[in-house]
Amino acid sequence: MIVVMRPTATQDEVDGVRRTVEENGLEAFISVGEERTVIGVVGKDLERVAHLGTLDGVEQVIRISSPYKLASSEHQVERTRVRINGVELGLGQELVVMAGPCAVESRDQLMETARCVKREGARVLRGGAFKPRTSPYSFQGLGLPALELLHEAHETYGLPVISEIVDPADVPAFEEHVDIIQVGARNMANFVLLKAVGQSRRPVLLKRGLSATIEEWLLAAEYILSAGNPNVILCERGIRTFETATRNTLDLSAVPVLRSRTHLPIIVDPSHGTGHRALVAPMALAGAAVGADGLIVEVHPDPANARSDGDQSLGFEEFGALMDELRRLQFVRTADAQPAQVSTATDVTGDIEDVRDRIDDIDARLAEMVQERAALALEVQRRREPDAHGHDVRRERALLERAASGTTGPMTPVELTMVFDALLRASRSVQRRHAHSVTEAEAAATGSGR
Ligand code: PEP
Ligand code: MN
C-alpha cells in the first residue's frame, strides 16, 4: 500500500501516518521527494489501516496487492481443481457441461431431462428447487421435494447434481442431496449465506451478481474461502447494462480477466447470459473459446411450457446439436471417448510402396462407398415428403455415437466422429441440392402450364 501525502503536508502529519502504521503492527517506509512525501506500508494485515486515507495530510491511498488474498493468484499460483463426485473441473481438464431445467417441475420432467443430457455428454445435472424469482407471484420452485428428486436422478443416472440455495438454514439439506451448492446472482452479496456455504464441505458455484464488478465478485468468493471451503467455482452469467436486446450482457471478457487474477475455475452460463434460446449455442461456444472450464445450460423437454425461463431453455435436439458442435470443436470429449486400443497393423508386409498401394486401394473403395452412401441418402430424400428436406438429427446423432464406439484402431473416437461428421455434412448438401432442383423444376412446370 502506498500513502501519498499532500504537497502541503507537515512533518507532524507524516509522523502521524507513520505512528498509525506502526501501532497496527505494520512497517512504514518514508520517501521524501521534492514536492511531496510518499509512505510505503507493508505487512500482513493491511485491512487494519484501511482508514489511512482519512488522516490529516493524506491525499490518496493506493492499494497494490489485491484485497482478496485467498482467491488471488498472487498468493496461489497453481490453479484450483474442484472435484465433484468423479468429475474434475479446472484448467487443463475437459470442458464440463452442466445442464438441466431451470426449475425441477416434476419427477418425469427431471428424469427425462437427466436421461437426455447424460446421453448427450453433460457431466452434471442442474435443477432449481428454490427459485429466487423477481416476482413473488412467479413459480418459486418445489422446495425440498425437488432436492429429493435431484438425489434420485443422481442415483439413477450417476450424474452429480447442482441446485441453488437461498436460505442458510438449508445447508444441511443441500449437503444431503446435492453435489454442488449454487449461490445465485441475486445472493452473491448475501454475506450470511456465503459464510454458511463456506462452512460446508460441498463445492460452491458462485454466480456473478447482476451488477457486481469482478473485484466484488472475487471478494464474495473470498467470504466462502475464508470460511474454510476451498472449492469455489465462479460463474459468469451476464450483468445488467443499458442493452435490452438480451436479458443480460454476457461479459465473456470476465473469463480471461479472472484467469489473470484468480486460481479458481470459471464457467459460463449462456442461458441467463442471453435470455434467448437462439443465442445460447453461439455464446456457449464463445464461452468455451475464451477458455471457460465449463458451461451451465438450461434444458427442458418442452421449453414452450416450462414454468420458468422457457425462452432461454434448449429443447433436447437443440442441446444435442450444441453438444455435437462442442465435440466437433473438441471442447468436449465424451466420457467414453477414451483413445481406442491401438492395434498395430502387424499383417503389413512389403516395402513402403506396397503399403502406399494398399492405402490407394482403400481410398478408391472408400470413394465408391461414400458415393453409394450418398446415392442412398438421396433415395431417402426422394421417398420423403416432396418438400421435406434437411436431416434427421436423431439418426445422425446415433450414427455419430456408433462411429465413436465399438471400433478399435489408431483413430480415437473423436477423430472417427470428425470423419463421419464430414460425411453427414456432405450428404446433407447433396439432399439440399436435390430438394432445391425439384422445387425449381416444379416452379418451371407451373410457369409453363400458365
Ligand atoms: C438459475 O441458475 O436458475 C438462476 C436463477 O441463475 P441466476 O442466479 O444467474 O439468475
Ligand atoms: Mn433459470
Side-chain angles (χ1 to χ4, degrees):
M1 179 186 281
I2 293 172
V3 181
V4 182
M5 303 300 292
R6 291 182 199 284
T8 53
T10 63
Q11 186 59 44
D12 271 358
E13 287 168 342
V14 173
D15 288 343
V17 172
R18 183 177 44 77
R19 232 182 355 265
T20 307
V21 169
E22 289 172 355
E23 278 166 8
N24 281 286
L26 304 164
E27 278 187 275
F29 295 91
I30 300 177
S31 160
V32 184
E34 284 273 309
E35 262 188 41
R36 59 176 90 221
T37 297
V38 296
I39 306 170
V41 180
V42 294
K44 262 198 156 46
D45 193 2
L46 293 175
E47 277 310 311
R48 298 185 60 161
V49 290
H51 62 293
L52 282 180
T54 63
L55 297 192
D56 289 343
V58 174
E59 185 166 282
Q60 63 168 319
V61 174
I62 304 165
R63 291 199 72 125
I64 296 178
S65 50
S66 55
Y68 38 86
K69 296 276 173 256
L70 299 170
S72 167
S73 39
E74 279 172 18
H75 302 275
Q76 180 183 319
V77 181
E78 69 282 6
R79 313 213 67 92
T80 290
R81 281 191 187 169
V82 176
R83 288 181 186 78
I84 317 142
N85 224 336
V87 175
E88 233 187 327
L89 197 122
L91 199 71
Q93 299 298 301
E94 177 177 342
L95 184 88
V96 170
V97 178
M98 309 184 182
C102 175
V104 176
E105 297 169 9
S106 70
R107 193 169 178 283
D108 284 353
Q109 173 243 21
L110 183 66
M111 298 303 158
E112 211 186 317
T113 311
R115 198 177 321 121
C116 157
V117 300
K118 177 173 179 165
R119 187 184 62 225
E120 301 296 353
R123 311 282 301 283
V124 175
L125 174 67
R126 67 151 284 154
F130 300 89
K131 298 302 304 173
R133 305 301 298 281
T134 302
S135 161
Y137 306 116
S138 303
F139 176 52
Q140 304 284 310
L142 298 179
L144 186 60
L147 288 188
E148 290 164 355
L149 286 172
L150 283 164
H151 197 156
E152 186 184 333
H154 166 66
E155 308 234 294
T156 310
Y157 295 102
L159 293 177
V161 292
I162 177 169
S163 197
E164 177 174 353
I165 192 166
V166 294
D167 186 340
D170 289 337
V171 169
F174 274 72
E175 288 195 320
E176 186 181 343
H177 296 300
V178 311
D179 303 281
I180 309 174
I181 303 177
Q182 175 176 326
V183 174
R186 290 157 193 80
N187 274 313
M188 187 210 81
N190 179 341
F191 302 119
V192 176
L193 187 62
L194 297 178
K195 284 185 205 166
V197 297
Q199 282 162 16
S200 167
R201 289 164 288 112
R202 291 271 179 263
V204 175
L205 179 108
L206 177 64
K207 289 198 154 191
R208 181 178 187 175
L210 275 74
S211 59
T213 63
I214 287 179
E215 179 165 310
E216 287 162 344
W217 186 12
L218 286 169
L219 281 165
E222 192 78 8
Y223 267 91
I224 304 171
L225 298 167
S226 62
N229 189 338
N231 294 310
V232 177
I233 305 159
L234 300 167
C235 175
E236 166 60 44
R237 47 78 70 205
I239 48 174
R240 243 338 133 70
T241 68
F242 51 84
E243 182 56 73
T244 53
T246 46
R247 182 178 178 185
N248 292 290
T249 297
L250 189 62
D251 178 14
L252 287 180
S253 60
V255 177
V257 170
L258 286 169
R259 277 272 179 259
S260 67
R261 298 200 183 173
T262 180
H263 50 85
L264 297 172
I266 306 142
I267 74 165
V268 167
D269 174 349
S271 307
H272 294 89
T274 62
H276 297 283
R277 188 172 313 129
L279 305 181
V280 171
M283 296 313 280
L285 296 171
V290 291
D293 299 302
L295 300 171
I296 184 163
V297 181
E298 289 187 336
V299 178
H300 193 282
D302 180 11
N305 290 302
R307 296 190 72 182
S308 64
D309 286 350
D311 289 352
Q312 65 191 34
S313 299
L314 299 184
F316 292 173
E317 301 227 331
E318 288 151 330
F319 180 64
L322 169 61
M323 292 302 292
D324 284 347
E325 198 57 11
L326 287 168
R327 251 188 300 272
R328 193 178 72 78
L329 296 169
Q330 304 217 15
F331 290 119
V332 166
R333 299 173 285 277
T334 34
D336 56 16
Q338 306 300 333
Q341 274 189 336
V342 176
S343 70
T344 42
T346 44
D347 61 336
V348 180
T349 52
D351 61 15
I352 187 168
E353 287 315 315
D354 295 329
V355 180
R356 284 187 168 148
D357 285 348
R358 281 183 63 178
I359 291 178
D360 292 347
D361 188 41
I362 289 177
D363 287 346
R365 278 189 284 141
L366 271 178
E368 272 174 26
M369 286 165 78
V370 167
Q371 288 293 19
E372 189 182 339
R373 191 188 185 288
L376 290 171
L378 206 48
E379 188 51 33
V380 168
Q381 168 71 20
R382 287 201 185 94
R383 293 182 189 203
R384 273 193 192 140
E385 300 287 306
D387 55 352
H389 66 97
H391 53 286
D392 184 335
V393 177
R394 242 181 259 277
R395 266 185 61 81
E396 289 191 355
R397 201 161 319 122
L399 182 144
L400 290 178
E401 273 167 19
R402 273 200 308 279
S405 61
T407 57
T408 55
M411 265 199 199
T412 65
V414 171
E415 288 157 346
L416 259 183
T417 307
M418 284 164 60
V419 172
F420 278 90
D421 195 41
L423 205 56
L424 286 173
R425 277 166 195 267
S427 202
R428 259 180 248 146
S429 111
V430 171
Q431 291 179 329
R432 215 173 287 122
R433 198 166 53 244
H434 171 78
H436 186 66
S437 63
V438 169
T439 322
E440 284 208 326
E442 280 170 2
T446 323
S448 63
R450 238 186 252 138

